Amino acid sequence: AQSVTQLGSHVSVSEGALVLLRCNYSSSVPPYLFWYVQYPNQGLQLLLKYTTGATLVKGINGFEAEFKKSETSFHLTKPSAHMSDAAEYFCAVTPYGNNRLAFGKGNQVVVIP
Amino acid sequence: IAGITQAPTSQILAAGRRMTLRCTQDMRHNAMYWYRQDLGLGLRLIHYSNTAGTTGKGEVPDGYSVSRANTDDFPLTLASAVPSQTSVYFCASSSGADTGELFFGEGSRLTVL
């Protein structure tokens, strides 16, 4: 079975500082990996994804993530936090050919002015 | 605007009552999903449907049932609601291609007393 681990339910970051959200996955087959973002009272929307090919993937709003097979990680970063980045972020995994995503527990990001 | 429509947005329900959460999509996606979101637990898959006429169990299916009579609709039924089913429920869909990208509705907040 596939799973992801996100540590630290709440993450506080100063405006303009680096955003780093960690995600480690477990998968017995080559995984597809995703980051989704959820703004208050909304559904989730895709931030970025890794399927195959380039291991550094860029998403919307300046976010990027790097797939590191040796570390079973897919950490999300953004060089400079903006107030609008305040949201909950979920890492998710699914095996190739299967769209039934397994989500992590999420990171609630608070941006401090 | 194309997307997923969920109803009701919010509902308070007495324990033991039957409740159906509605989900309709207009993107002609083959696959649909129901997730529940609980604080500190992230999203967990309840049931899914890869195509009209088929359904499958996810991670937490007990106490829930689904049907998929056509491509657009995927209702979730709680036959006899219990307080532990208090949650926010999200319906999602995907095209069925091996992209892993899900499109989410805005959720239905259910409180069972």
Side-chain angles (χ1 to χ4, degrees), chain A residues 32 34 36 38 41-46 49 51 88 90 94 96-106, chain B residues 33 35 37 40-43 45 48 50 90 94-107 109:
Chain A
Y32 284 4
F34 308 84
Y36 280 81
Q38 183 181 31
N41 300 313
Q42 294 186 23
L44 280 72
Q45 57 183 281
L46 182 67
K49 66 179 180 182
T51 54
E88 189 155 19
F90 293 93
T94 187
Y96 171 78
N98 177 333
N99 287 345
R100 299 193 292 276
L101 273 61
F103 286 87
K105 295 182 179 181
Chain B
Y33 314 84
Y35 286 87
Q37 182 179 23
L41 297 178
L43 283 83
L45 182 64
Y48 65 93
N50 287 330
F90 286 97
S94 70
S95 64
D98 296 331
T99 64
E101 180 174 359
L102 302 186
F103 294 83
F104 284 83
E106 296 198 345
R109 182 176 296 274

Side-chain angles (χ1 to χ4, degrees), chain B residues 15-61:
Chain B
R17 297 298 295 268
R18 180 184 180 90
M19 178 71 193
T20 295
L21 304 180
R22 300 183 298 278
C23 175
T24 300
Q25 56 109 352
D26 60 4
M27 297 176 283
R28 307 303 295 172
H29 283 172
N30 286 324
M32 298 186 75
Y33 314 84
W34 275 105
Y35 286 87
R36 60 176 290 173
Q37 182 179 23
D38 301 289
L39 192 63
L41 297 178
L43 283 83
R44 293 178 292 169
L45 182 64
I46 305 171
H47 284 288
Y48 65 93
S49 169
N50 287 330
T51 188
T54 69
T55 62
K57 294 182 179 180
E59 181 184 357
V60 288

Side-chain angles (χ1 to χ4, degrees), chain A:
Chain A
Q2 287 68 40
S3 65
V4 295
T5 300
Q6 294 179 248
L7 299 179
S9 59
H10 284 76
V11 176
S12 294
V13 59
S14 297
E15 189 175 16
L18 171 72
V19 180
L20 170 60
L21 303 180
R22 299 179 187 275
C23 173
N24 289 89
Y25 70 90
S26 172
S27 178
S28 57
V29 297
Y32 284 4
L33 292 157
F34 308 84
W35 278 97
Y36 280 81
V37 60
Q38 183 181 31
Y39 298 102
N41 300 313
Q42 294 186 23
L44 280 72
Q45 57 183 281
L46 182 67
L47 200 55
L48 51 78
K49 66 179 180 182
Y50 168 79
T51 54
T52 58
T55 57
L56 180 64
V57 293
K58 297 184 184 297
I60 61 173
N61 301 334
F63 284 93
E64 64 181 36
E66 186 171 11
F67 170 62
K68 291 186 176 181
K69 184 178 179 179
S70 61
E71 298 178 8
T72 61
S73 69
F74 192 57
H75 302 331
L76 181 72
T77 60
K78 181 175 180 177
S80 177
H82 190 273
M83 296 300 293
S84 60
D85 295 327
E88 189 155 19
Y89 294 80
F90 293 93
C91 184
V93 64
T94 187
Y96 171 78
N98 177 333
N99 287 345
R100 299 193 292 276
L101 273 61
F103 286 87
K105 295 182 179 181
N107 293 123
Q108 183 69 50
V109 171
V110 175
V111 182
I112 302 168

